[in-house]
Amino acid sequence: IASSRGIKSTNFFLPSLIGSKSGLTPGIKSEGEPASGSLAAQQKLSSSVSSVMFPHIPIKPSLMHAFQRYQTLHNDILARRSPPRFFIYHAGGQLCNVLRGTLAAFTFALLTDRALLVTNDRSWFQSYYDVFERPGFELQYNAKDHMALTSSGSHAFLDMDTFKDWEAMLCSNLSHAFPQDVIKVHGGAKYFTPFLFRNPVYKGIMQDWF
């Protein structure tokens, strides 16, 4: 799977799968296609993505809508059309840890309306896109484009190693518990997605998506 072997791993971001695998682009109506907001369009997108990722498991329209909404928000934040709220994941560890860490970071960003950016300063790859396909929005942090956006405002580090932030992750509204403009977490085994599933604030949302 590593890029050094010339093989790129499967992309687990739905917007990229919609765009690159099924020939559909979220939010854009192709000639002869139903309007993107219609039930027919949602069902078509769900069917297209499901056939690529999980042939026997349909993707819920609610999850598709959440991904489409996130893509718009992410691009608006980077274009300074929305407040600069970020979740920055410093990828680290081997591929399995990067996968789990990215999934956890993206879920946090999705639930709290933040733009996710991934840095590779602690990892074994030069660019995130050496390993994964582009997801339809800019995920790779680069200083030239993003330093000014992410260096201002308030910052916080998510501490999942000393139990300091476990209670907040399990019990609190994350936007209230972490009101800072930029949240950062360092790589390694930072797979805290199960915390979000068990948080009563987000349990209903997660069940609706999955």
Side-chain angles (χ1 to χ4, degrees), residues 50-65:
S50 298
S51 65
V52 175
M53 295 182 66
F54 311 105
H56 305 295
I57 303 177
I59 302 298
K60 292 184 177 180
S62 57
L63 180 58
M64 296 301 305
H65 176 74

Side-chain angles (χ1 to χ4, degrees), residues 33-91:
E33 296 289 341
S36 60
S38 68
L39 178 60
Q42 294 292 339
Q43 291 173 337
K44 184 175 180 64
L45 291 175
S46 296
S47 176
S48 298
V49 175
S50 298
S51 65
V52 175
M53 295 182 66
F54 311 105
H56 305 295
I57 303 177
I59 302 298
K60 292 184 177 180
S62 57
L63 180 58
M64 296 301 305
H65 176 74
F67 270 96
Q68 291 176 321
R69 178 182 174 277
Y70 174 81
Q71 185 176 21
T72 299
L73 176 66
H74 184 103
N75 291 332
D76 283 346
I77 291 175
L78 293 186
R80 302 175 184 264
R81 293 188 295 264
S82 292
R85 292 173 56 79
F86 292 92
F87 192 101
I88 299 179
Y89 169 53
H90 294 264

Side-chain angles (χ1 to χ4, degrees), residues 95-118:
L95 180 61
C96 59
N97 287 329
V98 175
L99 279 168
R100 293 185 296 175
T102 303
L103 176 60
F106 183 72
T107 305
F108 190 109
L110 190 64
L111 289 170
T112 59
D113 294 334
R114 295 176 179 272
L116 171 65
L117 292 175
V118 179

Side-chain angles (χ1 to χ4, degrees), residues 113-176:
D113 294 334
R114 295 176 179 272
L116 171 65
L117 292 175
V118 179
T119 73
N120 50 288
D121 53 336
R122 294 168 176 258
S123 196
W124 41 269
F125 47 83
Q126 291 186 338
S127 169
Y128 197 75
Y129 303 133
D130 289 340
V131 186
F132 303 105
E133 295 177 7
R134 294 177 181 271
F137 48 85
E138 185 55 61
L139 193 68
Q140 171 71 54
Y141 174 89
N142 68 78
K144 178 182 177 182
D145 295 331
H146 303 136
M147 181 177 290
L149 277 172
T150 59
S151 60
S152 61
S154 54
H155 290 66
F157 280 93
L158 191 63
D159 184 354
M160 297 302 293
D161 295 322
T162 65
F163 304 98
K164 173 178 175 291
D165 293 325
W166 283 34
E167 182 176 354
M169 294 289 286
L170 282 166
C171 305
S172 301
N173 182 310
L174 299 178
S175 295
H176 297 163

